[in-house]
Amino acid sequence: MYDHVKMPEGESEMYIPKAFEVNDKTKLVNFIRDNSFGILFSQEESGPLATHLPFFMDEKTGDNGVLISHMAKRNPHWNKLNGKEVLVVFPGPHAYISASWYNDPNTVPTWNYVAVHVYGTVRIIEKKEEMVEWMEKTVNFYESSMPNPWHAKFDDEFINSLMNGIVVFEISINKMEGKWKLSQNHSIERQQNVINGLKTSNKYNSAEIATMMEQNIKQKG
């Protein structure tokens, strides 16, 4: 029922059966932009650390693109991040799948979901001008969909004082992995039965998963 992250010796990766694997960079980038509140994971001597953060994706910078984010300077997570390889998880919609929806014997419940994992190397940004540049791009990205976008005035005393309390960092992307677990390992008939079942549920992200499954069937057809 559950999928786990496996950690082979010498590398980190998400367990992705072939049927659920997505490698298309444009699709992964668009997903990150639409689900940009991610979780930053790193391994420290004291144990694993995780911080929930908004990320700005710039796929044109560097060899494979970069992620930009920031955290409070009081958050100790950033102290040993410079030069370290980290994992950022971007969770997407998810929904419980009841075995009763298949209308078929020899089936069990499962969980359908979409997620992207990004592996990369951290660089702490220390120059004020570069910090301001990336924060301005981040704000503009999130404000672009607002009817009356807010524009940050970084020379303002109030905003400048807040900038002194954060750490801005860049993650140079080494690898991206996408997993679209949408019942592709079942027949079209079973998939359609699951879609019909999801449409009767108001729990989790059932409606979104149903829509993604319908789109996936159309693309394969």
Short mmCIF file of all heavy atoms in Angstrom, two decimals, residues 73-135:
data_model
loop_
_atom_site.label_atom_id
_atom_site.label_comp_id
_atom_site.label_asym_id
_atom_site.label_seq_id
_atom_site.Cartn_x
_atom_site.Cartn_y
_atom_site.Cartn_z
N LYS A 73 17.11 33.24 9.91
CA LYS A 73 18.48 33.07 10.38
C LYS A 73 18.54 32.34 11.71
O LYS A 73 19.53 31.68 12.05
CB LYS A 73 19.14 34.45 10.49
CG LYS A 73 20.65 34.42 10.54
CD LYS A 73 21.25 35.82 10.40
CE LYS A 73 21.26 36.30 8.96
NZ LYS A 73 21.97 37.60 8.81
N ARG A 74 17.45 32.40 12.47
CA ARG A 74 17.40 31.71 13.75
C ARG A 74 17.19 30.20 13.60
O ARG A 74 17.37 29.45 14.55
CB ARG A 74 16.28 32.29 14.62
CG ARG A 74 16.56 33.70 15.12
CD ARG A 74 15.48 34.16 16.07
NE ARG A 74 15.77 35.48 16.62
CZ ARG A 74 15.00 36.09 17.51
NH1 ARG A 74 13.89 35.52 17.96
NH2 ARG A 74 15.34 37.28 17.98
N ASN A 75 16.80 29.77 12.40
CA ASN A 75 16.63 28.34 12.14
C ASN A 75 18.02 27.72 11.99
O ASN A 75 18.76 28.04 11.06
CB ASN A 75 15.82 28.15 10.86
CG ASN A 75 15.52 26.68 10.57
OD1 ASN A 75 16.15 25.78 11.11
ND2 ASN A 75 14.55 26.44 9.69
N PRO A 76 18.42 26.80 12.88
CA PRO A 76 19.78 26.24 12.82
C PRO A 76 20.03 25.34 11.62
O PRO A 76 21.17 24.96 11.38
CB PRO A 76 19.88 25.44 14.13
CG PRO A 76 18.47 25.09 14.47
CD PRO A 76 17.63 26.24 14.00
N HIS A 77 18.97 25.02 10.85
CA HIS A 77 19.12 24.10 9.72
C HIS A 77 20.15 24.59 8.71
O HIS A 77 20.85 23.80 8.08
CB HIS A 77 17.76 23.90 9.05
CG HIS A 77 17.72 22.76 8.07
ND1 HIS A 77 16.57 22.30 7.50
CD2 HIS A 77 18.70 21.98 7.55
CE1 HIS A 77 16.83 21.30 6.69
NE2 HIS A 77 18.13 21.09 6.69
N TRP A 78 20.27 25.91 8.55
CA TRP A 78 21.14 26.44 7.49
C TRP A 78 22.62 26.42 7.85
O TRP A 78 23.48 26.54 6.98
CB TRP A 78 20.73 27.88 7.14
CG TRP A 78 21.05 28.89 8.19
CD1 TRP A 78 20.26 29.26 9.24
CD2 TRP A 78 22.25 29.67 8.30
NE1 TRP A 78 20.88 30.22 10.00
CE2 TRP A 78 22.11 30.49 9.45
CE3 TRP A 78 23.43 29.76 7.56
CZ2 TRP A 78 23.10 31.38 9.86
CZ3 TRP A 78 24.42 30.64 7.97
CH2 TRP A 78 24.26 31.43 9.10
N ASN A 79 22.93 26.26 9.13
CA ASN A 79 24.31 26.46 9.60
C ASN A 79 25.36 25.64 8.87
O ASN A 79 26.47 26.12 8.63
CB ASN A 79 24.39 26.16 11.11
CG ASN A 79 23.71 27.24 11.95
OD1 ASN A 79 23.58 28.38 11.49
ND2 ASN A 79 23.27 26.89 13.13
N LYS A 80 25.03 24.40 8.53
CA LYS A 80 26.01 23.52 7.89
C LYS A 80 25.59 23.11 6.48
O LYS A 80 26.04 22.10 5.95
CB LYS A 80 26.23 22.27 8.75
CG LYS A 80 26.83 22.58 10.12
CD LYS A 80 27.06 21.31 10.94
CE LYS A 80 27.64 21.65 12.30
NZ LYS A 80 27.85 20.41 13.12
N LEU A 81 24.75 23.92 5.85
CA LEU A 81 24.23 23.55 4.52
C LEU A 81 25.17 23.91 3.38
O LEU A 81 25.14 23.28 2.32
CB LEU A 81 22.88 24.23 4.27
CG LEU A 81 21.65 23.61 4.93
CD1 LEU A 81 20.40 24.37 4.50
CD2 LEU A 81 21.52 22.13 4.57
N ASN A 82 26.00 24.91 3.55
CA ASN A 82 26.82 25.39 2.43
C ASN A 82 27.71 24.28 1.87
O ASN A 82 28.50 23.66 2.59
CB ASN A 82 27.70 26.56 2.88
CG ASN A 82 28.16 27.41 1.72
OD1 ASN A 82 27.41 27.65 0.78
ND2 ASN A 82 29.39 27.89 1.77
N GLY A 83 27.56 24.00 0.58
CA GLY A 83 28.34 22.97 -0.09
C GLY A 83 27.80 21.56 0.08
O GLY A 83 28.38 20.61 -0.45
N LYS A 84 26.70 21.41 0.79
CA LYS A 84 26.15 20.08 1.08
C LYS A 84 25.11 19.68 0.05
O LYS A 84 24.37 20.52 -0.46
CB LYS A 84 25.54 20.08 2.48
CG LYS A 84 24.89 18.75 2.89
CD LYS A 84 24.53 18.74 4.35
CE LYS A 84 25.78 18.66 5.21
NZ LYS A 84 25.49 18.50 6.64
N GLU A 85 25.04 18.37 -0.25
CA GLU A 85 23.97 17.87 -1.13
C GLU A 85 22.72 17.63 -0.29
O GLU A 85 22.79 17.05 0.80
CB GLU A 85 24.36 16.59 -1.85
CG GLU A 85 23.27 16.15 -2.83
CD GLU A 85 23.72 15.05 -3.78
OE1 GLU A 85 24.70 14.37 -3.48
OE2 GLU A 85 23.06 14.89 -4.83
N VAL A 86 21.60 18.09 -0.80
CA VAL A 86 20.34 18.01 -0.07
C VAL A 86 19.25 17.42 -0.98
O VAL A 86 19.43 17.30 -2.19
CB VAL A 86 19.89 19.39 0.44
CG1 VAL A 86 20.89 19.94 1.45
CG2 VAL A 86 19.71 20.37 -0.73
N LEU A 87 18.14 17.10 -0.35
CA LEU A 87 16.95 16.62 -1.07
C LEU A 87 15.81 17.58 -0.79
O LEU A 87 15.57 17.95 0.37
CB LEU A 87 16.59 15.21 -0.57
CG LEU A 87 15.19 14.69 -0.92
CD1 LEU A 87 15.00 14.52 -2.42
CD2 LEU A 87 14.93 13.36 -0.19
N VAL A 88 15.11 17.99 -1.85
CA VAL A 88 13.90 18.78 -1.71
C VAL A 88 12.73 17.98 -2.27
O VAL A 88 12.78 17.53 -3.42
CB VAL A 88 13.99 20.15 -2.43
CG1 VAL A 88 12.71 20.95 -2.19
CG2 VAL A 88 15.20 20.93 -1.97
N VAL A 89 11.71 17.78 -1.47
CA VAL A 89 10.53 17.02 -1.88
C VAL A 89 9.38 17.99 -2.13
O VAL A 89 9.07 18.83 -1.27
CB VAL A 89 10.13 16.00 -0.80
CG1 VAL A 89 8.80 15.32 -1.16
CG2 VAL A 89 11.22 14.95 -0.63
N PHE A 90 8.77 17.87 -3.31
CA PHE A 90 7.60 18.66 -3.66
C PHE A 90 6.40 17.73 -3.74
O PHE A 90 6.21 17.03 -4.74
CB PHE A 90 7.81 19.38 -5.00
CG PHE A 90 8.89 20.43 -4.95
CD1 PHE A 90 10.17 20.12 -5.40
CD2 PHE A 90 8.63 21.69 -4.46
CE1 PHE A 90 11.17 21.08 -5.36
CE2 PHE A 90 9.64 22.66 -4.42
CZ PHE A 90 10.91 22.34 -4.87
N PRO A 91 5.59 17.67 -2.68
CA PRO A 91 4.41 16.81 -2.71
C PRO A 91 3.31 17.45 -3.55
O PRO A 91 3.14 18.67 -3.55
CB PRO A 91 3.98 16.72 -1.24
CG PRO A 91 5.05 17.42 -0.45
CD PRO A 91 5.74 18.34 -1.40
N GLY A 92 2.57 16.60 -4.26
CA GLY A 92 1.43 17.08 -5.04
C GLY A 92 0.14 16.50 -4.51
O GLY A 92 0.08 16.05 -3.37
N PRO A 93 -0.91 16.47 -5.33
CA PRO A 93 -2.17 15.90 -4.89
C PRO A 93 -2.06 14.41 -4.59
O PRO A 93 -1.21 13.72 -5.16
CB PRO A 93 -3.12 16.15 -6.07
CG PRO A 93 -2.30 16.64 -7.19
CD PRO A 93 -0.97 17.03 -6.68
N HIS A 94 -2.90 13.92 -3.69
CA HIS A 94 -2.88 12.51 -3.32
C HIS A 94 -4.29 12.09 -2.90
O HIS A 94 -5.11 12.94 -2.50
CB HIS A 94 -1.90 12.27 -2.16
CG HIS A 94 -2.26 13.02 -0.92
ND1 HIS A 94 -3.07 12.50 0.07
CD2 HIS A 94 -1.94 14.29 -0.52
CE1 HIS A 94 -3.22 13.39 1.03
NE2 HIS A 94 -2.55 14.49 0.70
N ALA A 95 -4.58 10.80 -3.01
CA ALA A 95 -5.91 10.32 -2.63
C ALA A 95 -5.87 8.83 -2.32
O ALA A 95 -5.13 8.07 -2.95
CB ALA A 95 -6.93 10.59 -3.74
N TYR A 96 -6.68 8.43 -1.37
CA TYR A 96 -6.85 7.02 -1.02
C TYR A 96 -7.69 6.34 -2.10
O TYR A 96 -8.67 6.88 -2.59
CB TYR A 96 -7.55 6.91 0.33
CG TYR A 96 -7.86 5.49 0.75
CD1 TYR A 96 -6.86 4.65 1.21
CD2 TYR A 96 -9.16 5.01 0.69
CE1 TYR A 96 -7.13 3.34 1.59
CE2 TYR A 96 -9.45 3.71 1.07
CZ TYR A 96 -8.44 2.88 1.52
OH TYR A 96 -8.72 1.60 1.91
N ILE A 97 -7.26 5.12 -2.47
CA ILE A 97 -7.98 4.34 -3.48
C ILE A 97 -8.56 3.09 -2.82
O ILE A 97 -7.82 2.23 -2.35
CB ILE A 97 -7.04 3.92 -4.64
CG1 ILE A 97 -6.29 5.13 -5.21
CG2 ILE A 97 -7.82 3.18 -5.71
CD1 ILE A 97 -7.18 6.21 -5.79
N SER A 98 -9.87 3.01 -2.77
CA SER A 98 -10.54 1.86 -2.16
C SER A 98 -10.54 0.67 -3.11
O SER A 98 -10.79 0.83 -4.32
CB SER A 98 -11.99 2.23 -1.80
OG SER A 98 -12.71 1.08 -1.41
N ALA A 99 -10.28 -0.51 -2.57
CA ALA A 99 -10.30 -1.73 -3.39
C ALA A 99 -11.70 -1.98 -3.97
O ALA A 99 -11.84 -2.61 -5.02
CB ALA A 99 -9.85 -2.92 -2.56
N SER A 100 -12.72 -1.46 -3.29
CA SER A 100 -14.10 -1.68 -3.76
C SER A 100 -14.37 -0.99 -5.09
O SER A 100 -15.30 -1.37 -5.82
CB SER A 100 -15.10 -1.18 -2.71
OG SER A 100 -15.02 0.23 -2.56
N TRP A 101 -13.57 0.04 -5.43
CA TRP A 101 -13.80 0.78 -6.67
C TRP A 101 -13.41 0.00 -7.92
O TRP A 101 -13.89 0.29 -9.01
CB TRP A 101 -13.03 2.09 -6.64
CG TRP A 101 -13.52 3.06 -5.60
CD1 TRP A 101 -14.72 3.02 -4.93
CD2 TRP A 101 -12.82 4.21 -5.10
NE1 TRP A 101 -14.82 4.08 -4.06
CE2 TRP A 101 -13.66 4.83 -4.13
CE3 TRP A 101 -11.59 4.79 -5.36
CZ2 TRP A 101 -13.30 5.98 -3.45
CZ3 TRP A 101 -11.22 5.93 -4.69
CH2 TRP A 101 -12.06 6.52 -3.74
N TYR A 102 -12.51 -0.96 -7.79
CA TYR A 102 -12.05 -1.69 -8.97
C TYR A 102 -13.15 -2.55 -9.59
O TYR A 102 -13.10 -2.87 -10.79
CB TYR A 102 -10.88 -2.61 -8.60
CG TYR A 102 -9.59 -1.88 -8.24
CD1 TYR A 102 -9.12 -1.90 -6.92
CD2 TYR A 102 -8.85 -1.20 -9.19
CE1 TYR A 102 -7.94 -1.26 -6.57
CE2 TYR A 102 -7.67 -0.55 -8.86
CZ TYR A 102 -7.23 -0.58 -7.54
OH TYR A 102 -6.06 0.06 -7.21
N ASN A 103 -14.13 -2.98 -8.77
CA ASN A 103 -15.16 -3.92 -9.23
C ASN A 103 -14.52 -5.18 -9.79
O ASN A 103 -14.95 -5.70 -10.83
CB ASN A 103 -16.07 -3.28 -10.28
CG ASN A 103 -16.92 -2.16 -9.70
OD1 ASN A 103 -17.30 -2.20 -8.53
ND2 ASN A 103 -17.20 -1.15 -10.51
N ASP A 104 -13.48 -5.64 -9.12
CA ASP A 104 -12.70 -6.78 -9.59
C ASP A 104 -12.15 -7.51 -8.37
O ASP A 104 -11.79 -6.85 -7.38
CB ASP A 104 -11.54 -6.30 -10.46
CG ASP A 104 -11.51 -6.97 -11.82
OD1 ASP A 104 -12.19 -8.00 -11.99
OD2 ASP A 104 -10.79 -6.47 -12.70
N PRO A 105 -12.05 -8.83 -8.42
CA PRO A 105 -11.46 -9.56 -7.30
C PRO A 105 -9.94 -9.41 -7.28
O PRO A 105 -9.34 -8.84 -8.21
CB PRO A 105 -11.86 -11.02 -7.57
CG PRO A 105 -11.99 -11.08 -9.06
CD PRO A 105 -12.53 -9.75 -9.48
N ASN A 106 -9.33 -9.89 -6.22
CA ASN A 106 -7.86 -9.88 -6.08
C ASN A 106 -7.26 -8.49 -6.20
O ASN A 106 -6.27 -8.27 -6.91
CB ASN A 106 -7.22 -10.83 -7.11
CG ASN A 106 -7.73 -12.26 -6.98
OD1 ASN A 106 -7.89 -12.77 -5.87
ND2 ASN A 106 -8.00 -12.89 -8.11
N THR A 107 -7.88 -7.53 -5.54
CA THR A 107 -7.35 -6.17 -5.51
C THR A 107 -7.26 -5.71 -4.05
O THR A 107 -7.94 -6.25 -3.17
CB THR A 107 -8.24 -5.18 -6.29
OG1 THR A 107 -9.57 -5.24 -5.76
CG2 THR A 107 -8.26 -5.53 -7.77
N VAL A 108 -6.43 -4.73 -3.79
CA VAL A 108 -6.25 -4.20 -2.44
C VAL A 108 -6.25 -2.67 -2.50
O VAL A 108 -6.03 -2.09 -3.57
CB VAL A 108 -4.92 -4.68 -1.81
CG1 VAL A 108 -4.94 -6.18 -1.58
CG2 VAL A 108 -3.73 -4.29 -2.69
N PRO A 109 -6.48 -2.01 -1.36
CA PRO A 109 -6.43 -0.54 -1.36
C PRO A 109 -5.02 -0.05 -1.65
O PRO A 109 -4.04 -0.76 -1.45
CB PRO A 109 -6.84 -0.18 0.07
CG PRO A 109 -7.50 -1.40 0.62
CD PRO A 109 -6.86 -2.56 -0.06
N THR A 110 -4.94 1.18 -2.10
CA THR A 110 -3.63 1.80 -2.33
C THR A 110 -3.79 3.31 -2.18
O THR A 110 -4.83 3.80 -1.74
CB THR A 110 -3.07 1.43 -3.71
OG1 THR A 110 -1.71 1.88 -3.80
CG2 THR A 110 -3.88 2.05 -4.84
N TRP A 111 -2.76 4.03 -2.53
CA TRP A 111 -2.77 5.49 -2.46
C TRP A 111 -2.19 6.03 -3.75
O TRP A 111 -1.06 5.70 -4.11
CB TRP A 111 -1.94 5.98 -1.27
CG TRP A 111 -2.45 7.25 -0.68
CD1 TRP A 111 -2.30 8.52 -1.19
CD2 TRP A 111 -3.21 7.40 0.52
NE1 TRP A 111 -2.91 9.44 -0.38
CE2 TRP A 111 -3.48 8.77 0.69
CE3 TRP A 111 -3.69 6.51 1.48
CZ2 TRP A 111 -4.21 9.29 1.76
CZ3 TRP A 111 -4.41 7.02 2.55
CH2 TRP A 111 -4.66 8.38 2.68
N ASN A 112 -2.94 6.82 -4.48
CA ASN A 112 -2.42 7.46 -5.69
C ASN A 112 -1.90 8.85 -5.32
O ASN A 112 -2.49 9.55 -4.51
CB ASN A 112 -3.49 7.57 -6.76
CG ASN A 112 -3.65 6.29 -7.54
OD1 ASN A 112 -3.02 5.28 -7.23
ND2 ASN A 112 -4.51 6.29 -8.56
N TYR A 113 -0.79 9.24 -5.97
CA TYR A 113 -0.19 10.54 -5.64
C TYR A 113 0.79 10.96 -6.72
O TYR A 113 1.20 10.16 -7.57
CB TYR A 113 0.52 10.48 -4.29
CG TYR A 113 1.70 9.52 -4.23
CD1 TYR A 113 2.99 9.95 -4.50
CD2 TYR A 113 1.50 8.18 -3.92
CE1 TYR A 113 4.07 9.07 -4.45
CE2 TYR A 113 2.56 7.30 -3.86
CZ TYR A 113 3.84 7.75 -4.12
OH TYR A 113 4.90 6.86 -4.08
N VAL A 114 1.17 12.22 -6.66
CA VAL A 114 2.18 12.78 -7.56
C VAL A 114 3.21 13.51 -6.71
O VAL A 114 2.84 14.22 -5.77
CB VAL A 114 1.55 13.74 -8.58
CG1 VAL A 114 2.60 14.27 -9.54
CG2 VAL A 114 0.43 13.05 -9.35
N ALA A 115 4.49 13.33 -7.02
CA ALA A 115 5.55 13.99 -6.27
C ALA A 115 6.79 14.13 -7.13
O ALA A 115 7.03 13.33 -8.04
CB ALA A 115 5.88 13.20 -5.00
N VAL A 116 7.58 15.15 -6.81
CA VAL A 116 8.87 15.36 -7.47
C VAL A 116 9.93 15.49 -6.40
O VAL A 116 9.75 16.20 -5.40
CB VAL A 116 8.86 16.61 -8.37
CG1 VAL A 116 10.27 16.93 -8.86
CG2 VAL A 116 7.93 16.40 -9.56
N HIS A 117 11.05 14.77 -6.59
CA HIS A 117 12.21 14.88 -5.70
C HIS A 117 13.33 15.57 -6.47
O HIS A 117 13.60 15.23 -7.63
CB HIS A 117 12.69 13.51 -5.24
CG HIS A 117 11.81 12.86 -4.22
ND1 HIS A 117 12.20 11.77 -3.47
CD2 HIS A 117 10.55 13.16 -3.81
CE1 HIS A 117 11.22 11.42 -2.66
NE2 HIS A 117 10.21 12.25 -2.85
N VAL A 118 13.97 16.53 -5.82
CA VAL A 118 15.08 17.25 -6.43
C VAL A 118 16.31 17.11 -5.54
O VAL A 118 16.24 17.35 -4.33
CB VAL A 118 14.76 18.75 -6.61
CG1 VAL A 118 15.96 19.50 -7.19
CG2 VAL A 118 13.54 18.93 -7.51
N TYR A 119 17.44 16.72 -6.14
CA TYR A 119 18.71 16.58 -5.43
C TYR A 119 19.65 17.67 -5.94
O TYR A 119 19.74 17.89 -7.16
CB TYR A 119 19.33 15.21 -5.69
CG TYR A 119 18.40 14.06 -5.37
CD1 TYR A 119 17.50 13.59 -6.31
CD2 TYR A 119 18.43 13.45 -4.12
CE1 TYR A 119 16.64 12.54 -6.02
CE2 TYR A 119 17.58 12.40 -3.82
CZ TYR A 119 16.69 11.95 -4.77
OH TYR A 119 15.83 10.91 -4.47
N GLY A 120 20.32 18.34 -5.03
CA GLY A 120 21.22 19.40 -5.46
C GLY A 120 22.17 19.84 -4.37
O GLY A 120 22.09 19.38 -3.23
N THR A 121 23.05 20.76 -4.75
CA THR A 121 24.10 21.24 -3.84
C THR A 121 23.82 22.68 -3.44
O THR A 121 23.53 23.53 -4.29
CB THR A 121 25.48 21.15 -4.52
OG1 THR A 121 25.69 19.80 -4.96
CG2 THR A 121 26.58 21.54 -3.55
N VAL A 122 23.92 22.95 -2.15
CA VAL A 122 23.56 24.26 -1.59
C VAL A 122 24.71 25.25 -1.68
O VAL A 122 25.87 24.91 -1.46
CB VAL A 122 23.14 24.12 -0.12
CG1 VAL A 122 22.87 25.50 0.51
CG2 VAL A 122 21.90 23.24 0.00
N ARG A 123 24.37 26.49 -2.01
CA ARG A 123 25.31 27.60 -1.90
C ARG A 123 24.60 28.72 -1.13
O ARG A 123 23.57 29.24 -1.58
CB ARG A 123 25.73 28.12 -3.28
CG ARG A 123 26.66 29.34 -3.20
CD ARG A 123 27.12 29.78 -4.59
NE ARG A 123 26.04 30.37 -5.38
CZ ARG A 123 25.74 31.67 -5.38
NH1 ARG A 123 26.42 32.54 -4.63
NH2 ARG A 123 24.76 32.12 -6.15
N ILE A 124 25.13 29.08 0.02
CA ILE A 124 24.58 30.19 0.79
C ILE A 124 24.92 31.50 0.09
O ILE A 124 26.08 31.74 -0.26
CB ILE A 124 25.14 30.22 2.23
CG1 ILE A 124 24.83 28.91 2.96
CG2 ILE A 124 24.57 31.41 3.00
CD1 ILE A 124 23.37 28.63 3.19
N ILE A 125 23.95 32.33 -0.15
CA ILE A 125 24.16 33.61 -0.85
C ILE A 125 24.45 34.68 0.19
O ILE A 125 23.64 34.95 1.08
CB ILE A 125 22.92 33.98 -1.68
CG1 ILE A 125 22.72 32.94 -2.80
CG2 ILE A 125 23.06 35.38 -2.27
CD1 ILE A 125 21.45 33.09 -3.57
N GLU A 126 25.61 35.28 0.08
CA GLU A 126 26.07 36.25 1.09
C GLU A 126 26.01 37.70 0.60
O GLU A 126 25.85 38.61 1.42
CB GLU A 126 27.49 35.89 1.54
CG GLU A 126 27.57 34.51 2.20
CD GLU A 126 28.98 34.16 2.62
OE1 GLU A 126 29.91 34.88 2.23
OE2 GLU A 126 29.15 33.16 3.34
N LYS A 127 26.14 37.92 -0.71
CA LYS A 127 26.13 39.29 -1.22
C LYS A 127 24.71 39.84 -1.17
O LYS A 127 23.77 39.23 -1.66
CB LYS A 127 26.64 39.32 -2.67
CG LYS A 127 28.12 39.02 -2.80
CD LYS A 127 28.57 39.15 -4.25
CE LYS A 127 30.06 38.88 -4.39
NZ LYS A 127 30.50 38.98 -5.81
N LYS A 128 24.57 41.01 -0.59
CA LYS A 128 23.26 41.64 -0.41
C LYS A 128 22.56 41.86 -1.75
O LYS A 128 21.34 41.63 -1.87
CB LYS A 128 23.42 42.96 0.34
CG LYS A 128 22.12 43.57 0.81
CD LYS A 128 21.45 42.72 1.88
CE LYS A 128 20.23 43.41 2.49
NZ LYS A 128 20.58 44.51 3.40
N GLU A 129 23.33 42.28 -2.76
CA GLU A 129 22.73 42.56 -4.07
C GLU A 129 22.12 41.30 -4.66
O GLU A 129 21.02 41.33 -5.25
CB GLU A 129 23.77 43.13 -5.04
CG GLU A 129 24.36 44.46 -4.64
CD GLU A 129 25.45 44.35 -3.57
OE1 GLU A 129 25.85 43.20 -3.25
OE2 GLU A 129 25.89 45.40 -3.06
N GLU A 130 22.81 40.17 -4.51
CA GLU A 130 22.30 38.91 -5.05
C GLU A 130 21.10 38.42 -4.24
O GLU A 130 20.13 37.89 -4.80
CB GLU A 130 23.40 37.84 -5.05
CG GLU A 130 23.03 36.60 -5.85
CD GLU A 130 24.17 35.58 -5.90
OE1 GLU A 130 25.24 35.83 -5.30
OE2 GLU A 130 23.96 34.54 -6.54
N MET A 131 21.15 38.62 -2.92
CA MET A 131 20.00 38.27 -2.08
C MET A 131 18.76 39.03 -2.53
O MET A 131 17.68 38.44 -2.71
CB MET A 131 20.30 38.60 -0.62
CG MET A 131 21.30 37.70 0.06
SD MET A 131 21.68 38.29 1.74
CE MET A 131 20.07 38.12 2.54
N VAL A 132 18.92 40.32 -2.73
CA VAL A 132 17.80 41.16 -3.14
C VAL A 132 17.26 40.73 -4.50
O VAL A 132 16.04 40.65 -4.72
CB VAL A 132 18.22 42.66 -3.16
CG1 VAL A 132 17.15 43.50 -3.85
CG2 VAL A 132 18.46 43.15 -1.75
N GLU A 133 18.18 40.44 -5.43
CA GLU A 133 17.78 40.03 -6.78
C GLU A 133 16.90 38.78 -6.74
O GLU A 133 15.83 38.72 -7.37
CB GLU A 133 19.02 39.76 -7.63
CG GLU A 133 18.69 39.28 -9.05
CD GLU A 133 19.93 38.88 -9.83
OE1 GLU A 133 21.06 39.06 -9.32
OE2 GLU A 133 19.77 38.37 -10.96
N TRP A 134 17.33 37.76 -5.98
CA TRP A 134 16.57 36.51 -5.93
C TRP A 134 15.28 36.67 -5.15
O TRP A 134 14.24 36.09 -5.52
CB TRP A 134 17.43 35.41 -5.32
CG TRP A 134 18.40 34.80 -6.28
CD1 TRP A 134 19.76 34.75 -6.16
CD2 TRP A 134 18.10 34.14 -7.52
NE1 TRP A 134 20.32 34.11 -7.23
CE2 TRP A 134 19.33 33.72 -8.09
CE3 TRP A 134 16.92 33.86 -8.20
CZ2 TRP A 134 19.40 33.04 -9.31
CZ3 TRP A 134 16.98 33.18 -9.43
CH2 TRP A 134 18.22 32.79 -9.96
N MET A 135 15.29 37.45 -4.08
CA MET A 135 14.06 37.66 -3.32
C MET A 135 13.04 38.44 -4.13
O MET A 135 11.83 38.18 -4.06
CB MET A 135 14.38 38.39 -2.01
CG MET A 135 15.14 37.54 -0.99
SD MET A 135 14.28 36.01 -0.56
CE MET A 135 12.81 36.66 0.24
#
